[in-house]
Structure formats: C-alpha cells, structure tokens
Amino acid sequence: MILLLVDDEFHVRKKLLHKIDWEALGIDTLLEAEDGESGYETAKRRKIDILISDIRMPRMDGIEMAGKIRELYPDCVILFLSGYSDKEYLRSAISLHALSYIDKPVSPEQVVSAVREAVDYCNNMQNSTVFAAKIKEARLVRLLCSPRPGEEQLTSLLKDCGLSPLSFSDSRTLLLQSLSADGIPAGLMEHADELFAQSGLRYIMGDYHDNFLVIHLLSGEEQLVSDLSRPFLRSLLQRLSYLLKNQSYFIAVGVLAENLHELYHSYQSAVISLQQNFFLGMNSISFAGESDASGYTPDDNFRKGLLSCVKQKDAEGCFRLLDSLYAAYQSHPSGLISMVREDYYACLSQLFQHCLAHRIDFQSASSQQLWDVISSAHTLKELHAIAVNLYQSYFDFVRENREEASVSGNIRRLVEENYGNPSLGLQFLSENLKLSQSYISQLFKQETGTTINQYIISYRIDMASSQLLKSDRKIADIALSCGFPDQNYFTKLFKKCTGMTPSEYRGYV
C-alpha cells in the first residue's frame, strides 16, 4: 500500500517519517512532498492509496491538490493535517470526504490511529465488493448534490452503481439532518437500508457534510415515486426517525424530479424546506412547497411596547407580547431564520441597554455573547424560551433587589415621566416621594455619584438632543417640551453640555 505525505514544514515530515513504524501499519511504500504542486506531480507518477496532507502550503494548497489527486484515484483515502485557524477553511473540503482531520501540532500517536483506520478502509475497498459498492453509491449521492457534476465522473459512477440517467426519470430527494454534534449516528444507514428495502423502494443513499443523510428515491417498474403520497412518506420517515433514538433531527422532502438534471433542484428544495423545520420544531418533517405563507417582521411599536413593559415592571404584559411574537412567527414559517434571530437579538439587546442606562446591576452580555446564545437555538421554540427565560430572570432580579423601591430608582422614574414639567425639581420630588429634600439629595448622590439637579438637566438635554435630530420642530417648542420655558437659558445649558448651540447641533449631526 502506498502513502504520500505532503507538508511544507520539513521538521513535521521528518518527525512522522522517522518516528512511525509504517511497515507495521501495512504501508509498503512511503512518499513525501514539500508542497501541493510537487505532491500532485508525485501522485501522477505513482498510484496513491493514502494521502496525508497539510492544508496551507505554497504554490498549491492541500485542498486543491487533494481534489486533483481524487480525480486521478477516486478511491484514494485522504487525511488532512489542520491547524485551529483552518477549521472554517476545511468546510470547503467536505466534498472531498476526507476520512479524518488530524489537529496540529501533530503527534505520531494521532497519525498512527488515523492511518490504521485508512488502511482498514483500503483493505475493505479491495476485498469487499459490498463495501466498495456502498462507497461508490455514497460518492454518486454526493455528486448529485452538486449543481454541475462532472460528466465523466457522473457517467463512471452511474455505471459502477448499475444505474443510468433514465433511472432518475421519476425521483425525489430526502434529507435527514442530525442536530447532534456527533453527526449521523453509527449504524443508521444500515438500519435505513433495511427499512427502505422492506418498503420495496429503489434508492441510493449516502452521508453528506457530516450531519446530513441524503436519500435519492428512484422509481421502479412496480412503484413510481410520484405515486407515493405524503402520508406514506411521512409514515416512512417517522419510522426512520425512530432509529435515531434520543438524537434530535430535521427531515425534509424535496420536490419531484422528472429527470437526472432536475434532481439537484429536488435536493435544493429539500435544503430550503429544512428552514421550515426551524418553525415546526425539533424532530419535525417538512415538505418542499408545503408553506406559501410570507415571512413576518415585528414593527417598531412591538419593541416600544416591550420596553414600556420593562420600564413599568409589567412582567405579565411583557410575556404577552413575547407570546404574540412567537405565535406570529409560527403562522409565518417561510421567513428567513437569520431575520428571526436578529429580531429576537434586538428584543434582548434593548433589555441590556435599559439596564445599562438605568444602572441596574442585572447580568450583562457582550453583543457577541448574546448573538452566540441566540445562534445556538435550533428551533423557534428554543429561541422563544431563551427570550422568555432572560426576561423572567430580569423581573426576578428586579423583584428580589427591590430596585423600584430604591430612592435613586424612584427619582429616575419620576424624572423620565415628568421631564417636560418646568416644576420638576428637588421640591417636586420631595413632595412626591414624601421624603425630605436633604435626605433624597444625600441618598441619590451616594447611589449615583451625581446630584439630582445635574441628573435632571442631563436627562432633559438628552431628550432635547433626540428631538433636534428626529424632528423639524422649532427649537423654542423643543425647549418647552423638555421643561425649559426660557429658550435663552436652554441654549446656554445645551452649549455647556454639548459644546454646540441647538442650531449648530442640528446642522452638524
């Protein structure tokens, strides 16, 4: 058996070449190359059984080289050496169906384990006609998931699998997506083989992108795929899902294909249909073209209402709004999942912003942390639960810490509600709170680090700044609405706080 090791790092090659007993692993001939181009040239001169290659190399990277070698030797086993920064880059190598990815820095023990598996794979390919047939079938399945499969490779694989283009004159693609980090569970395809064989259906099947099982249903002399009803397919797929035991999954059924070239459209429609499963929930089955509803996007009034409930400590009203959002999305299952996530992100982000603005010591999260939590939700139900749990935690926190009963909290609330009242001041607050002026002044300064009068002026200036940008109202009217009856006094304070007059601020910003 011949193995080719390609890596531009000399010490990595020498370490592996000299510290591993290759002969004991079943490797008769060991070849090496210093980059992708020389590796490809070596492969053109000698048939390669196993390829071990680095990803990032000069002249020709490992992905491109492996693809060219795969064209020369379809049965060649590929093992990639990958650094942490290559993880995203490796996604483009999925179609090469590498047997393993060995993390750098490379240890000889890891390589020995991967090569032993590769040798077993090669032996099975050479000695087991059933194993070899299944591998070729899986390659054909993956090739048919490509928009423009190579004609030569397609013709060869169709012949190897005993099929012709006419075999796909009435066909359909089924997709099963495992939501487990471990991908498609071991043994699932063998059990699926038994299930489909018992149902009398023709099909080809293979795994794809690690966590997808792709099944192309084919028509036979006694059974047309177009005659299979949705209830029959749903029942069949539910029986297939039982084989997943406790794993979570999505299943989608593509549209009918009338010929081989339309099968890719069936596959694509199944991929799109998987989006519906986000709205349908975990372990659901969707059919392409089943939902014609448009997407849903909440308007600004929704978020304003949610924020109002937060300010008023109205937990019941808040959860009513969140439930209405959830119901609206459920009734519009054709929306973009990315937009749904962004809408929920905005709802949760404004809660954190409210806490920050009002110095509420509730749990904080960076934008990235919040987005990571939202992105972890596989379904709308999970996303809704994240939002509900976070808002519930907020209301529990407020209740336990009695923020609303604190002097500074009540003062801030009264300022927000009455900032347009010219009479708002220390006496006004003292009378409303039924506490002495000296007492509330001392406590507010102690809790916030600023005086009450400074806070009132700062809040009024903030409100005025917002109105200057968002409206064309006269400056005198804006001043009055923010509690400044005297425009000259307002202009003086505004310039002191912002460095510009109201007119300059409106024109500059």
Side-chain angles (χ1 to χ4, degrees):
M1 202 167 291
I2 300 176
L3 183 146
L4 171 61
L5 173 62
V6 186
D7 197 307
D8 62 321
E9 295 183 60
F10 176 81
H11 71 279
V12 171
R13 296 201 313 274
K14 295 309 174 187
K15 174 183 177 182
L16 297 179
L17 289 172
H18 297 301
K19 289 198 173 185
I20 294 176
D21 186 349
W22 296 99
E23 188 174 348
L25 292 173
I27 304 301
D28 305 315
T29 304
L30 188 61
L31 306 174
E32 63 174 307
E34 61 184 10
D35 57 42
E37 190 169 310
S38 58
Y40 178 55
E41 291 300 321
T42 300
K44 286 198 296 185
R45 294 191 297 269
R46 299 288 300 272
K47 181 182 181 302
I48 304 301
D49 296 302
I50 301 173
L51 169 67
I52 300 180
S53 174
D54 190 14
I55 294 287
R56 301 180 187 275
M57 296 182 292
R59 298 207 297 168
M60 183 187 295
D61 64 43
I63 300 295
E64 183 181 356
M65 178 198 65
K68 289 178 176 291
I69 292 178
R70 173 72 85 203
E71 290 177 3
L72 293 173
Y73 315 114
D75 295 334
C76 177
V77 179
I78 300 172
L79 308 173
F80 278 120
L81 306 177
S82 62
Y84 178 79
S85 60
D86 293 324
K87 296 306 180 185
E88 289 300 316
Y89 190 43
L90 280 173
R91 295 178 186 273
S92 63
I94 292 292
S95 60
L96 295 172
H97 207 61
L99 187 67
S100 181
Y101 304 103
I102 304 169
D103 290 327
K104 283 191 169 185
V106 179
S107 71
E109 293 76 19
Q110 286 178 298
V111 176
V112 166
S113 176
V115 170
R116 186 175 287 118
E117 183 181 358
V119 169
D120 289 341
Y121 180 95
C122 291
N123 287 331
N124 282 327
M125 281 291 292
Q126 295 171 4
N127 303 323
S128 171
T129 56
V130 174
F131 181 83
K134 278 297 178 185
I135 294 299
K136 291 175 180 178
E137 179 180 307
R139 286 182 187 151
L140 176 59
V141 168
R142 290 191 289 273
L143 187 64
L144 292 172
C145 294
S146 305
R148 290 180 294 277
E151 286 297 328
E152 185 177 340
Q153 188 180 11
L154 178 58
T155 301
S156 175
L157 283 173
L158 285 172
K159 182 180 179 181
D160 290 340
C161 295
L163 299 170
S164 72
L166 291 177
S167 304
F168 299 85
S169 58
D170 189 87
S171 54
R172 188 190 296 269
T173 299
L174 312 179
L175 279 182
L176 185 150
Q177 179 185 7
S178 170
L179 302 179
S180 166
D182 297 328
I184 298 297
L188 176 63
M189 286 196 286
E190 288 77 5
H191 291 303
D193 267 329
E194 295 176 11
L195 175 63
F196 280 88
Q198 292 170 3
S199 301
L201 298 174
R202 291 185 68 202
Y203 63 94
I204 54 175
M205 173 172 56
D207 59 333
Y208 190 52
H209 284 208
D210 292 338
N211 62 330
F212 284 92
L213 180 64
V214 183
I215 303 167
H216 298 309
L217 289 183
L218 311 178
S219 292
E221 294 181 1
E222 299 180 359
Q223 180 67 71
L224 294 176
V225 172
S226 55
D227 289 339
L228 301 176
S229 66
R230 286 193 176 183
F232 172 83
L233 288 172
R234 187 179 293 277
S235 174
L236 178 69
L237 293 171
Q238 283 175 339
R239 279 183 284 159
L240 175 62
S241 69
Y242 296 153
L243 303 175
L244 290 168
K245 298 181 179 178
N246 297 322
Q247 290 202 20
S248 299
Y249 62 86
F250 289 153
I251 296 178
V253 181
V255 298
L256 192 70
E258 295 183 358
N259 54 58
L260 178 61
H261 298 292
E262 286 189 4
L263 191 63
Y264 176 70
H265 176 57
S266 181
Y267 163 72
Q268 281 290 85
S269 69
V271 172
I272 294 171
S273 185
L274 280 175
Q275 305 292 301
Q276 294 181 39
N277 295 75
F278 174 84
F279 299 93
L280 297 175
M282 205 72 79
N283 303 347
S284 57
I285 301 172
S286 63
F287 289 80
E290 192 172 67
S291 175
D292 298 322
S294 59
Y296 171 78
T297 301
D299 57 23
D300 289 340
N301 289 329
F302 171 81
R303 282 191 285 272
K304 288 179 181 177
L306 199 61
L307 184 57
S308 176
C309 289
V310 169
K311 290 180 177 180
Q312 297 173 22
K313 313 298 184 295
D314 182 7
E316 186 176 341
C318 174
F319 295 131
R320 273 200 307 269
L321 283 172
L322 289 174
D323 287 344
S324 71
L325 180 66
Y326 177 60
Y329 281 130
Q330 278 190 310
S331 61
H332 296 78
S334 293
L336 294 175
I337 296 175
S338 59
M339 295 299 294
V340 177
R341 294 187 193 280
E342 287 177 11
D343 289 337
Y344 270 94
Y345 173 84
C347 292
L348 298 179
S349 181
Q350 77 171 7
L351 174 62
F352 285 118
Q353 290 171 3
H354 167 79
C355 293
L356 184 64
H358 293 81
R359 301 187 183 184
I360 300 173
D361 194 21
F362 181 56
Q363 57 180 289
S364 61
S366 68
S367 296
Q368 187 59 53
Q369 288 172 329
L370 181 56
W371 183 251
D372 288 344
V373 170
I374 288 174
S375 298
S376 69
H378 290 299
T379 64
L380 174 64
K381 185 176 182 180
E382 288 182 356
L383 193 54
H384 178 66
I386 289 172
V388 169
N389 289 337
L390 187 58
Y391 271 90
Q392 183 64 64
S393 296
Y394 166 76
F395 286 117
D396 289 344
F397 175 85
V398 168
R399 183 174 59 255
E400 292 169 4
N401 289 273
R402 301 185 181 279
E403 188 275 338
E404 61 183 1
S406 72
V407 171
S408 60
N410 279 309
I411 289 175
R412 284 194 293 266
R413 176 179 55 81
L414 286 170
V415 171
E416 290 177 17
E417 295 172 353
N418 299 277
Y419 70 90
N421 183 352
S423 300
L424 175 64
L426 194 56
Q427 183 176 346
F428 176 92
L429 296 171
S430 174
E431 291 173 355
N432 275 270
L433 296 174
K434 296 180 173 52
L435 296 170
S436 70
Q437 294 184 29
S438 60
Y439 179 71
I440 63 174
S441 295
Q442 180 181 353
L443 284 183
F444 189 84
K445 175 74 172 179
Q446 181 179 332
E447 292 183 17
T448 67
T450 187
T451 67
I452 291 176
N453 284 333
Q454 288 172 337
Y455 180 76
I456 292 173
I457 290 172
S458 176
Y459 192 86
R460 282 172 165 168
I461 294 297
D462 285 345
M463 294 299 101
S465 300
S466 178
Q467 291 189 43
L468 284 168
L469 296 179
K470 295 180 179 179
S471 73
D472 296 327
R473 295 175 63 194
K474 294 180 179 179
I475 292 176
D477 292 338
I478 291 176
L480 185 60
S481 70
C482 293
F484 297 105
D486 186 334
Q487 183 179 345
N488 292 331
Y489 177 62
F490 166 67
T491 300
K492 180 180 179 181
L493 279 178
F494 193 93
K495 185 171 183 179
K496 181 179 179 181
C497 293
T498 67
M500 291 180 281
T501 66
S503 298
E504 291 171 340
Y505 182 85
R506 174 179 271 173
Y508 179 79
V509 178

